[in-house]
Amino acid sequence: MVLIIQILVLTLIILSTILVIGIPVTLASPGQWEKSKNLIYTSIGIWAGLIIITSIINSFVT
C-alpha cells in the first residue's frame, strides 16, 4: 500500500513540474492557448484527481 502512495506522489510531482513549466510557456506563446487549451484543462483535471485519490488512499494507511 505504501508503494502505491509513493507512485501516486511521484506521478503528482512529475505532473506538477510539467504544469508549472508548461502553462506559463503556453500562455506566453502567441496563438498557443487556443491550440493547447483542452490539453491544459485535461492535465489540471488529472492533477486534481491525483490529489483526491492520493489523499483517500493515504487515509487508509495511517
Side-chain angles (χ1 to χ4, degrees):
M1 189 65 116
V2 174
L3 181 64
I4 294 172
I5 293 174
Q6 290 176 348
I7 292 171
L8 284 171
V9 169
L10 177 65
T11 307
L12 187 62
I13 291 170
I14 292 171
L15 184 58
S16 296
T17 305
I18 291 170
L19 288 174
V20 163
I21 295 169
I23 290 176
V25 169
T26 302
L27 291 174
S29 302
Q32 287 292 350
W33 173 246
E34 290 81 18
K35 295 177 186 176
S36 304
K37 183 171 41 173
N38 290 333
L39 179 63
I40 290 174
Y41 286 148
T42 303
S43 299
I44 293 171
I46 292 170
W47 182 81
L50 276 172
I51 289 178
I52 293 169
I53 291 169
T54 304
S55 63
I56 290 172
I57 291 178
N58 191 32
S59 68
F60 292 121
V61 172
T62 55

